[in-house]
Amino acid sequence: MNIFLILVLFSSILSEEIRFATGEYEPYTSVNMDDKGCITQIVNDVCELMNIQPEYEFFPWKRAERCVLNNNCLAAFPYSKTADREKDFIFTDVLLSSNAYFYYYRPQKDFSTFKWEKYEDLRYLNIGGVLGYWYESEFRNSNLNVSFTYTDLDNIRLLMMGRIDLMPANEIVFWDLVRKNVPSEANNFKTLPKSIGDSDFYLMLSKNNPDANDFVQKFNKSLAEYKKSNKYKALLKKYGFD
């Protein structure tokens, strides 16, 4: 047996392949980006420290959850914690954080003097949401008038058409979509001043998976090590998170 074949076999023994589910959420994760997005790169770098070979499957968000629940994928990302999800899933430490807000389109609606404190204050407004996002159950439970689409970009277009009044979105995702799709309209999009909350993103694993707790502990240890590295700092700088 030649030395090359020995090295290949040795590498395959040491490196374990793990399947992850994710979806389209630029710039955090996307099949269309060279590095598959900043959070995908974080997962990739942490897996490298763990001597894991990650495989990424891109799905709609509801399907990604089912992939994990059915143990066809080990974990899904980037997901936020909700009370409903915590019934079925466990989460790693935070991969990355930012904020989420409600956005409106000034030529159609003017909410410059509008203030809200709780979801009930929004019940008379038409809101556009995305199926499978963290706020879905909260909005439904608050009896908000929400029409759900499949992407944030769909809702940006509905804002511009005057079909909805507000849309919730992660600030990084929202402005990335505007910049890439309707840059000339950027100054016409405005934000309600009160944040919906922090968007903390995690890896999410099924409680039905007997290996989940062990993996989370090992992943968190490597994630903490990674966050101290220059590689992590460079990634944050590249995407403007520093």
Side-chain angles (χ1 to χ4, degrees):
M1 185 180 294
N2 63 43
I3 187 66
F4 176 75
L5 185 55
I6 291 173
L7 289 172
V8 169
L9 289 174
F10 186 65
S11 175
S12 66
I13 292 171
L14 289 179
S15 182
E16 180 184 4
E17 274 197 9
I18 298 291
R19 190 176 185 218
F20 294 95
T22 186
E24 288 299 318
Y25 202 46
E26 290 191 40
Y28 295 114
T29 176
S30 175
V31 72
N32 300 313
M33 300 176 70
D34 290 340
D35 59 2
K36 301 296 187 292
C38 59
I39 291 184
T40 308
Q41 190 59 54
I42 289 172
V43 174
N44 208 67
D45 291 343
V46 174
C47 285
E48 185 177 336
L49 291 175
M50 299 173 68
N51 202 35
I52 288 172
Q53 180 61 46
E55 177 186 346
Y56 302 109
E57 296 285 348
F58 284 80
F59 298 117
W61 297 110
K62 290 285 191 181
R63 189 176 168 194
E65 287 189 35
R66 290 196 299 271
C67 187
V68 176
L69 281 174
N70 296 333
N71 290 325
N72 293 320
C73 300
L74 175 68
F77 70 90
Y79 278 79
S80 298
K81 287 183 183 179
T82 66
D84 284 343
R85 286 175 181 166
E86 288 187 288
K87 296 174 185 176
D88 299 312
F89 300 97
I90 62 172
F91 297 80
T92 63
D93 289 340
V94 176
L95 302 172
L96 200 64
S97 296
S98 61
N99 287 308
Y101 294 91
F102 283 108
Y103 294 88
Y104 64 96
Y105 183 65
R106 184 69 175 269
Q108 294 286 358
K109 308 284 182 177
D110 184 2
F111 293 104
S112 57
T113 61
F114 178 77
K115 294 181 180 180
W116 72 282
E117 293 299 327
K118 53 188 184 299
Y119 287 142
E120 286 76 8
D121 298 334
L122 307 171
R123 282 181 178 168
Y124 71 95
L125 298 172
N126 295 316
I127 298 171
V130 176
L131 287 167
Y133 278 18
W134 62 271
Y135 50 69
E136 183 177 351
S137 61
E138 291 188 30
F139 285 6
R140 293 188 192 277
N141 292 338
S142 298
N143 294 318
L144 297 186
N145 184 24
V146 186
S147 56
F148 288 96
T149 62
Y150 291 101
T151 70
D152 284 312
L153 184 57
D154 289 337
N155 285 322
I156 287 175
R157 290 168 175 154
L158 291 172
L159 277 182
M160 295 177 67
M161 294 167 60
R163 298 278 297 277
I164 58 175
D165 301 314
L166 300 173
M167 66 169 283
N170 174 275
E171 60 181 340
I172 303 298
V173 172
F174 182 86
W175 292 115
D176 185 71
L177 285 170
V178 169
R179 185 176 69 253
K180 290 177 179 176
N181 293 278
V182 285
S184 62
E185 297 286 344
N187 290 332
N188 288 324
F189 290 101
K190 305 297 178 181
T191 308
L192 294 187
K194 176 180 165 63
S195 168
I196 302 174
D198 293 335
S199 291
D200 291 335
F201 297 118
Y202 306 82
L203 270 181
M204 185 173 76
L205 295 83
S206 173
K207 288 183 176 180
N208 294 326
N209 188 329
D211 299 321
N213 284 303
D214 182 60
F215 181 86
V216 166
Q217 290 179 13
K218 293 177 180 176
F219 185 90
N220 286 344
K221 182 178 178 181
S222 294
L223 177 62
E225 178 184 345
Y226 174 65
K227 285 185 174 181
K228 297 174 184 177
S229 70
N230 290 329
K231 193 173 187 179
Y232 178 66
K233 294 174 184 176
L235 182 71
L236 296 184
K237 185 175 181 179
K238 173 183 176 181
Y239 283 94
F241 288 104
D242 60 329

